[in-house]
């Protein structure tokens, strides 16, 4: 096997995930997941503290506030993404049209020296997108993104999409999952741990789950689990 030229996160890492409000620079974790559009100095700061930095991009939805929003052709824009204003689902079958936009984003992640990428909203075919997407469409897109991330020296995480774990675990470098304990599919991600790769898990305060119980399960599975507000501000509770 050739030596991989990108970060290989192993189980047991601590993490923070923050996409809104002022970044909390006091909190020290092994890993932080932050937005692509942060300034270079932010990535440099975390690196100076010995923290690995994950680059958040949405690969399955259009967000009307992004600097590259005007580059999305109309034909790839689907239904509104319910619950997330200003977002629409993308026709991920059209890699030909999405390619210049997504590759430019990966280039920016790499140029800012992020260690990895979080491809958010890669789970599309089970949603009401306005397009007749299939399991295969989603898989093709995910594998294409992984290949392009790795070309740029970036690790890439599987975001949710538990039913594709069997097809992705040997290609992707870690997983990021949401609400998996609450909805009872956390164990679907165990192949990552068995492959020596991290599962970063987040549960949210807007669901009535018992976080202590989730932490107990998380410990048994070997996941890195945190409790967050749904808008992913700086507030965090770690499994003790």
């Amino acid at each position: 096997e050739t030596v991989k030229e990108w970060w290989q996160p192993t189980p047991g890492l601590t993490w923070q995930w923050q996409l809104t409000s002022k970044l909390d620079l006091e909190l020290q974790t092994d890993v932080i997941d932050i937005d692509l559009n942060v300034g270079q100095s932010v990535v440099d700061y975390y690196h100076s503290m010995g923290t690995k930095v994950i680059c958040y991009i949405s690969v399955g939805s259009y967000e009307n506030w992004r600097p590259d929003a005007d580059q999305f052709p109309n034909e790839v824009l689907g239904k509104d993404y319910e619950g997330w204003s200003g977002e629409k689902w993308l026709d991920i079958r059209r890699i030909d049209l999405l390619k210049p936009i997504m590759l430019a984003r990966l280039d920016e992640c790499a140029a800012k020296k992020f260690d990895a990428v979080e491809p958010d909203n890669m789970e599309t075919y089970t949603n009401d997108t306005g397009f007749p997407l299939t399991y295969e469409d989603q898989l093709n897109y995910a594998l294409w993104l992984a290949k392009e991330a790795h070309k740029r020296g970036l690790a890439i995480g599987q975001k949710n999409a538990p039913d594709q774990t069997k097809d992705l675990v040997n290609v992707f470098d870690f997983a990021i999952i949401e609400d998996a304990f609450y909805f009872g599919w956390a164990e679907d991600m165990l192949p990552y741990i068995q492959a020596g790769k991290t599962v970063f898990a987040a549960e949210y305060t807007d669901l009535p789950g018992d976080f202590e119980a989730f932490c107990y399960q998380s410990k048994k599975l070997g996941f890195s689990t945190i409790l967050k507000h749904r808008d992913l501000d700086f507030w965090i509770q770690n499994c003790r």
Side-chain angles (χ1 to χ4, degrees):
E1 193 184 8
T2 54
V3 178
K4 296 186 172 139
E5 316 232 317
W6 54 84
W7 176 44
Q8 301 289 298
T10 51
L13 297 169
T14 59
W15 77 303
Q16 162 69 313
W17 191 11
Q18 189 180 344
L19 301 179
T20 64
S21 75
K22 198 166 147 43
L23 283 163
D24 179 5
L25 302 178
E26 298 298 300
L27 182 75
Q28 282 311 300
T29 51
D30 299 324
V31 179
I32 188 162
D33 185 341
I34 54 179
D35 194 85
L36 159 68
N37 296 139
V38 300
Q40 181 66 58
S41 62
V42 177
V43 182
D44 294 346
Y45 168 81
Y46 284 114
H47 280 156
S48 76
M49 305 301 284
T51 300
K52 296 288 190 190
V53 197
I54 300 174
C55 184
Y56 171 94
I57 60 173
S58 181
V59 299
S61 75
Y62 156 88
E63 302 156 309
N64 65 8
W65 62 89
R66 293 286 175 191
D68 58 5
D70 60 341
Q71 291 171 37
F72 287 84
N74 268 334
E75 64 207 274
V76 299
L77 302 183
K79 291 190 174 177
D80 287 343
Y81 189 160
E82 224 175 300
W84 298 93
S85 89
E87 291 195 52
K88 290 180 186 299
W89 290 103
L90 292 172
D91 186 353
I92 55 150
R93 296 170 302 178
R94 300 302 308 272
I95 293 175
D96 57 326
L97 297 176
L98 294 172
K99 184 177 180 174
I101 303 164
M102 294 303 161
L103 294 189
R105 289 178 176 185
L106 291 176
D107 286 342
E108 190 180 335
C109 291
K112 287 179 174 170
K113 298 194 163 55
F114 279 93
D115 300 285
V117 62
E118 177 204 341
D120 193 24
N121 302 309
M122 59 177 261
E123 190 173 18
T124 50
Y125 83 99
T126 52
N127 284 292
D128 182 20
T129 60
F131 303 111
L133 304 177
T134 66
Y135 182 99
E136 286 304 318
D137 295 329
Q138 182 172 302
L139 184 61
N140 288 339
Y141 189 48
L143 293 172
W144 173 75
L145 287 163
K147 188 178 78 198
E148 294 296 342
H150 289 156
K151 261 189 214 168
R152 289 159 177 76
L154 294 161
I156 188 170
Q158 175 181 328
K159 179 68 182 289
N160 297 321
D163 62 331
Q164 298 207 319
T165 299
K166 61 185 185 301
D167 289 320
L168 297 179
V169 66
N170 294 324
V171 179
F172 279 65
D173 305 293
F174 58 95
I176 294 179
I177 58 173
E178 301 168 291
D179 301 321
F181 290 103
Y182 180 81
F183 287 113
W185 53 265
E187 277 183 23
D188 294 355
M189 309 312 287
L190 204 49
Y192 275 92
I193 300 292
Q194 289 158 346
K197 301 175 181 187
T198 317
V199 176
F200 296 109
E203 295 290 322
Y204 291 109
T205 55
D206 60 358
L207 291 173
D210 176 356
F211 188 60
E212 291 297 310
F214 296 158
C215 287
Y216 178 73
Q217 285 174 268
S218 173
K219 207 158 267 174
K220 285 204 297 195
L221 294 171
F223 293 4
S224 301
T225 301
I226 57 178
L227 184 65
K228 295 288 296 178
H229 294 148
R230 184 71 61 178
D231 68 348
L232 295 170
D233 60 7
F234 67 83
W235 186 88
I236 185 172
Q237 191 178 321
N238 285 288
C239 284
R240 280 187 289 283

